[in-house]
Amino acid sequence: MNRRNAIIRLAGSVAAATAAANVWAQGDKPITLVVPYAPGGTTDLLGRILAKEMAPLLGTTIVVENKPGAGSGLGATYAARAPADGRTLLVATSTTLAINPWLYKCLGYDPIKDFAPIGMIGSVPLVAVVNASVPVGSIAELIALSKAQAGKLSYGSAGSGSPQHLAVEMFKSATGADLTHVPYRGSAPAMTDLLGGQIQLMFSDIPPALAHVRGERLRALGVTSPKRQIAMPEVPTIAESGAAGTKDFQAVAWQSLVAPAGTPPELIARFAVALEKVMKQPQVQERLAAEGVEAATLPPQQLAAYLKSETTRWGAVVKASGATMD
């Protein structure tokens, strides 16, 4: 009986792989690349770059489908429930796979069980910026001022549980800085209030902050990545600041490519090879750098291990922050 079941399972696997391999032969059935955010943002840009560059490598058409909502949860749920036939892929972020499971009480997908990792796309560091009127010029001075004026320095974020929010909470935990959170509905209104002086600090994506730093309306104190960023090489990493608690500090969001769990390994391998080729293209790396994204690659097995470790790491941060979503 066991042998018979094994033969049945093997036959089913072969049939699934054969059917999936025929996806590219069916010109009327392109691959759908789900972007779980609205058009125009960084994740949408990444999705469109991948769709354009991976399609000829795979010999098919890739169509981007934006499905925003629930902090990327709506699109992730859609992708998780799609047939595992190689026709659906998902651009998944650190929010999608590592933060949402701890933030939302009811989530329509399991970040580990419902997806098959394909590869890393890139990392997205943040930069700590203060309004030019704030009398600090370094991370150490910011920490000291926050303690001297306990609770009076406010920082903005794109919302409770967002990477910007949790990065500052990690910073507070590591350094003892005393900062008050002001959540916004998106990064843009938070940046507006930072420029207006209604809040004093923000851990911002690099591109929207860069012009204001150069225009001297904001002052950059440090980046959250392990190394300095090409876009602002003069700005040290927070770990370089020398302030107590910052030696190993880093808080980097990331983007990855995944497929519904059960997608045949042959297709996962084919997607992974195509993705790696795209991410190594100099023009792609340059375009991503302009958006504050550092191109990065990890093969499927290494990405799977990384996702598990990131889920644990961000889970601890979410719990410590007390952030929750319905």
Side-chain angles (χ1 to χ4, degrees), residues 60-322:
T60 188
T61 301
I62 301 178
V63 178
V64 173
E65 187 169 343
N66 295 90
K67 286 190 172 294
S72 78
L74 184 64
T77 299
Y78 174 85
R81 296 176 181 176
D85 58 5
R87 294 177 185 163
T88 303
L89 303 177
L90 170 71
V91 180
T93 68
S94 48
T95 296
T96 310
L97 299 182
I99 296 175
N100 280 353
W102 306 97
L103 192 62
Y104 286 85
K105 297 177 181 178
C106 297
L107 200 63
Y109 61 93
D110 185 300
I112 303 300
K113 296 179 180 179
D114 288 345
F115 297 107
I118 294 172
M120 185 69 77
I121 300 172
S123 60
V124 186
L126 304 172
V127 57
V129 287
V130 294
N131 183 281
S133 65
V134 179
V136 298
S138 67
I139 289 294
E141 291 178 358
L142 172 66
I143 296 169
L145 182 63
S146 76
K147 293 179 179 179
Q149 299 183 5
K152 293 184 179 181
L153 293 184
S154 298
Y155 75 92
S157 77
S160 182
S162 66
Q164 295 97 329
H165 169 214
L166 297 179
V168 180
E169 291 301 314
M170 289 175 65
F171 177 76
K172 289 169 57 180
S173 177
T175 66
D178 194 333
L179 302 165
T180 300
H181 182 215
V182 180
Y184 290 80
R185 292 185 177 181
S187 297
M191 179 61 70
T192 297
D193 275 7
L194 177 61
L195 293 169
Q198 284 78 25
I199 56 176
Q200 290 73 49
L201 168 72
M202 187 174 175
F203 276 32
S204 168
D205 291 349
I206 291 176
L210 188 57
H212 301 301
V213 170
R214 290 174 176 170
E216 299 184 350
R217 299 182 67 189
L218 299 179
R219 187 177 303 113
L221 304 182
V223 292
T224 63
S225 50
K227 61 182 180 180
R228 297 193 184 199
Q229 293 300 299
I230 296 175
M232 41 177 54
E234 73 285 356
V235 180
T237 68
I238 290 178
E240 287 181 299
S241 70
T246 64
K247 181 180 178 181
D248 300 313
F249 183 85
Q250 61 176 291
V252 179
W254 42 263
Q255 317 269 0
S256 63
L257 187 65
V258 300
T263 299
E266 296 85 352
L267 288 186
I268 295 297
R270 188 170 181 180
F271 290 137
V273 169
L275 175 62
E276 185 172 4
K277 288 181 179 179
V278 169
M279 299 314 300
K280 288 184 177 179
Q281 295 176 7
Q283 66 271 24
V284 170
Q285 294 181 359
E286 291 174 5
R287 190 172 180 189
L288 294 185
E291 294 296 321
V293 179
E294 185 175 353
T297 58
L298 278 179
Q301 288 186 340
Q302 290 184 31
L303 178 58
Y306 180 75
L307 293 179
K308 289 182 179 179
S309 66
E310 282 289 278
T311 299
T312 300
R313 186 170 77 95
W314 284 106
V317 178
V318 173
K319 287 181 179 180
S321 74

